[in-house]
Amino acid sequence: VFVAVTDEIKSVSVMEGESVTLHTDIKIQRDGQILWTFGPQNTRIAEIIKRDQINFIFVSNDGRFRDRLQMDNQTGSLTIRNIRFEHTGLYKLLIIISGKNSLKSFSVTVYASLPIPVTTRYSSQCHSLSSPGSLVSRCSLLCSVLNVSHVTLSWYKGNSLLSNISVFDLSISLSLPLEVEYEDKNTYSCVINNPISNQTKHLDITLFCQPCA
């Protein structure tokens, strides 16, 4: 049982497969203790206890953290290597130095590497214009991505946003339609993004729409 002197929460975002270090911003004194816990059960995953010249160091090597954790024995900072989705959650740091306690919390969110969007044409029609005998090709396009979560899928015309759709649930597939004309010389692109990365598919209209006969 302890009473926290300070309680700070820091948000950390990281791509799946990368490494992230949660910093204590201190140097452990001769008589000090650093304790890291994870998740709603406050499971102990790493700890350093210094008593005079004796150091006790514990780093969990079980379950989801097997061979992934490394702790700096001078600062107690915790590094998670090759981080995965299952490591998303709340990490708590208890610091005890000279009988004084402090608590920091790190909210870690792990994002997947994003796929490049796929663009396809699902219909093409010729429409009459106001002037007699004039026709224009109008194509319906679809931009799709598979098995994504916590992303936004968008269509852009140049730098202008045309439409978008977002998902914050578990992994699903997303599709976003767009209608364009063959004569339109503007640049179109489909973009998928999350808070820390994006992928863009630029569109060549001539590959999807053909002029009317």
Side-chain angles (χ1 to χ4, degrees), residues 107-202:
S107 179
V108 176
T109 303
V110 182
Y111 292 94
S113 298
L114 297 178
I116 297 176
V118 175
T119 52
T120 56
R121 183 186 69 183
Y122 64 91
S123 72
S124 179
Q125 296 178 336
C126 287
H127 293 266
S128 297
L129 297 177
S130 56
S131 56
S134 296
L135 295 175
V136 64
S137 174
R138 185 168 293 165
C139 302
S140 297
L141 308 176
L142 198 66
C143 182
S144 304
V145 287
L146 303 177
N147 302 322
V148 292
S149 61
H150 296 86
V151 299
T152 297
L153 186 65
S154 309
W155 274 112
Y156 283 87
K157 183 178 182 179
N159 294 321
S160 300
L161 176 65
L162 297 177
S163 60
N164 61 21
I165 184 173
S166 299
V167 60
F168 300 99
D169 299 324
L170 298 177
S171 184
I172 67 171
S173 299
L174 283 181
S175 294
L176 189 62
L178 177 70
E179 191 170 88
V180 299
E181 294 181 353
Y182 175 79
E183 287 79 7
D184 197 332
K185 301 303 181 183
N186 287 284
T187 301
Y188 292 90
S189 57
C190 183
V191 179
I192 181 174
N193 71 281
N194 59 32
I196 59 176
S197 66
N198 66 78
Q199 289 279 14
T200 300
K201 180 65 177 290
H202 296 288

Side-chain angles (χ1 to χ4, degrees), residues 29-31 50-55:
Q29 305 299 319
R30 184 178 62 180
D31 182 16
K50 286 195 173 186
R51 295 291 184 268
D52 295 322
Q53 302 302 317
I54 300 176
N55 292 354

Side-chain angles (χ1 to χ4, degrees), residues 23-121:
H23 295 280
T24 63
D25 297 323
I26 65 166
K27 186 173 182 179
I28 305 175
Q29 305 299 319
R30 184 178 62 180
D31 182 16
Q33 179 179 357
I34 296 288
L35 172 65
W36 287 97
T37 62
F38 172 73
Q41 304 301 320
N42 290 322
T43 303
R44 184 180 70 146
I45 58 173
E47 186 175 15
I48 291 179
I49 299 175
K50 286 195 173 186
R51 295 291 184 268
D52 295 322
Q53 302 302 317
I54 300 176
N55 292 354
F56 168 79
I57 301 176
F58 164 80
V59 177
S60 175
N61 198 31
D62 297 327
R64 75 188 81 183
F65 291 106
R66 182 178 298 277
D67 299 325
R68 299 182 191 274
L69 298 181
Q70 181 178 346
M71 189 164 51
D72 188 304
N73 61 9
Q74 298 298 317
T75 66
S77 296
L78 183 70
T79 298
I80 309 168
R81 301 186 299 265
N82 190 22
I83 199 166
R84 319 305 293 177
F85 278 123
E86 60 185 343
H87 302 129
T88 291
L90 188 65
Y91 294 76
K92 293 182 180 179
L93 166 65
L94 171 62
I95 302 171
I96 303 175
I97 297 177
S98 300
K100 295 182 179 180
N101 304 340
S102 62
L103 178 68
K104 293 183 179 180
S105 298
F106 298 80
S107 179
V108 176
T109 303
V110 182
Y111 292 94
S113 298
L114 297 178
I116 297 176
V118 175
T119 52
T120 56
R121 183 186 69 183

